[in-house]
Amino acid sequence: MAQQQIPMTMQDWSERLDVILQLNGRELLTHAGEISHQQALDKSTEAYQHYTVEQKK
């Protein structure tokens, strides 16, 4: 859009991304979800620790 000199807001980009996801058959997240931020951090930390152990083998 920048090359075509068409101004875009973050809302415009958000709407375009939603359309792209829907075209690819993806489900849109329309709510906050069921997993807390801390739960996500804990899971990612655990997965990373498992990954580093595997890489060292």
Side-chain angles (χ1 to χ4, degrees):
M1 300 312 291
Q3 291 176 339
Q4 297 170 359
Q5 298 182 353
I6 298 173
M8 296 286 290
T9 64
M10 290 304 290
Q11 180 64 35
D12 295 332
W13 284 114
S14 177
E15 291 168 5
R16 283 181 179 249
L17 179 57
D18 288 349
V19 169
I20 291 168
L21 290 172
Q22 288 173 328
L23 286 173
N24 287 320
R26 299 294 177 122
E27 202 173 320
L28 297 180
L29 180 62
T30 58
H31 53 83
E34 299 174 359
I35 297 174
S36 72
H37 178 72
Q38 189 59 49
Q39 288 172 314
L41 287 176
D42 293 344
K43 182 162 180 71
S44 64
T45 300
E46 180 183 328
Y48 183 72
Q49 288 172 346
H50 176 73
Y51 167 78
T52 56
V53 168
E54 290 298 315
Q55 287 294 58
K56 289 180 182 180
K57 288 183 180 179

